[in-house]
Amino acid sequence: MTDRNTSDLLIQVAMRAEALPIIHLLSLKPIGRMDPNLPSELWQGIVHGHCISLVTNGCDPEFDCDRIGTESAAIVAFLALRITRPKLIFNAGTCGGFASQGATIGDIYMPTRFLFHDQRVALPKFDAFAKGEKTTADFPKIRSATNAKHGTCSTGSSLDTTVDEMAFFAAESVTCKDMEAAAIIRVARDFQTPFIALKAVTDLVDHRQTVQEAFLTNLKFATGRLADAVDHAARVFSAV
Ligand code: SAH
């Protein structure tokens, strides 16, 4: 077991199904819960010479499914950053992509701009806070090691998309739609920890096939691609 109090890299993943291919590929060992009051689970290992911690949001005991979404993402990010004190945090996960922006299933995105698409507060200052727009530095070595595309990630609390949100995505040139990234980067900023999102496309938001159908069909393929990308990123991590 590694020292859970210092990690080089923290990888936060919402769903167990997204995390398992990464855990297997990196041979991470289960450590258990970070806190008895939270279902979030921690795995650790030494990978390519670096101490890596991976946390999932955990399975909700009442609803018996992964705790996807912004609330759990923020709580787990806070706790995991506090416990593992990493040099860098990755949010590895899946996302909806946009055919109109050139996405295909299994593409890996490493966005450098993040916002929320379903938080609207028409009051001075609170409007910008609600939209939560943040940009990150690019990490060219990680981008080329993962062959990741550039883009903007927009986070919300629903898997489906409303007509208004579609207009928002077009106006903001959104390339990835997810349910966690903008919440995690907010917490990472509080800890002054650099943040990278690696997102594999499971479904195309602007395609005929329903997002739910595409997500379930493509989850295995996309999470395999995601695990490879995380492994390649961990390899060049020291060069960041
Ligand atoms: N139906 C799935 C649940 C997927 S929920 C199941 O039963 O297992 C969506 C999760 O994948 C979230 O964690 C989110 O970050 C990501 N995601 C993938 N495609 C998405 C999309 N089109 N919109 C929003 N989130 C998406």
Side-chain angles (χ1 to χ4, degrees):
M1 194 193 295
T2 55
D3 175 4
R4 58 187 268 177
N5 292 319
T6 50
S7 283
D8 295 311
L9 176 63
L10 169 65
I11 304 168
Q12 183 170 346
V13 189
M15 297 175 65
R16 205 168 214 268
E18 294 167 334
L20 287 178
I22 303 173
I23 289 166
H24 290 146
L25 192 61
L26 303 187
S27 303
L28 302 178
K29 303 280 175 292
I31 303 297
R33 291 187 176 198
M34 288 190 293
D35 185 288
N37 300 302
L38 263 192
S40 169
E41 291 181 287
L42 173 67
W43 280 264
Q44 288 184 326
I46 303 290
V47 185
H48 310 308
H50 308 297
C51 176
I52 296 197
S53 294
L54 181 147
V55 282
T56 56
N57 288 2
C59 178
D60 188 285
E62 210 173 326
F63 295 101
D64 190 28
C65 65
D66 296 293
R67 280 194 169 174
I68 57 170
T70 55
E71 298 91 338
S72 290
I75 292 167
V76 169
F78 178 82
L79 196 60
L81 283 163
R82 203 142 112 149
I83 289 177
T84 69
R85 288 184 273 132
K87 297 191 180 99
L88 180 68
I89 177 170
F90 279 179
N91 172 210
T94 57
C95 69
F98 294 80
S100 58
Q101 299 275 3
T104 52
I105 302 297
D107 278 354
I108 302 293
Y109 277 91
M110 193 172 116
T112 48
R113 180 169 168 257
F114 299 86
L115 30 86
F116 290 100
H117 54 260
D118 61 0
Q119 299 194 165
R120 291 171 301 277
V121 182
L123 292 169
K125 295 193 180 173
F126 293 101
D127 52 357
F129 171 74
K131 189 173 171 191
E133 181 169 348
K134 298 206 188 304
T135 53
T136 56
D138 198 15
F139 293 83
K141 293 206 171 82
I142 290 188
R143 182 175 301 285
S144 63
T146 54
N147 209 11
K149 294 185 165 186
H150 288 266
T152 291
C153 180
S154 191
T155 297
S157 298
S158 299
L159 184 61
D160 66 5
T161 302
T162 66
V163 173
D164 286 352
E165 286 170 350
M166 222 45 183
F168 176 93
F169 296 147
E172 298 286 350
S173 304
V174 169
T175 53
C176 308
K177 173 175 177 281
D178 88 332
M179 297 175 66
E180 291 88 14
I184 299 173
I185 191 174
R186 186 171 274 170
V187 183
R189 282 288 155 89
D190 288 343
F191 281 78
Q192 296 174 343
T193 304
F195 172 89
I196 291 179
L198 284 172
K199 298 273 162 177
V201 175
T202 42
D203 53 272
L204 296 170
V205 178
D206 52 355
H207 190 272
R208 267 179 294 108
Q209 188 182 28
T210 67
V211 164
Q212 301 89 290
E213 219 175 82
F215 184 91
L216 296 175
T217 310
N218 302 320
L219 184 63
K220 193 157 181 253
F221 171 66
T223 53
R225 297 281 307 262
L226 179 66
D228 287 338
V230 170
D231 182 42
H232 293 143
R235 239 175 243 280
V236 297
F237 166 65
S238 59
V240 167

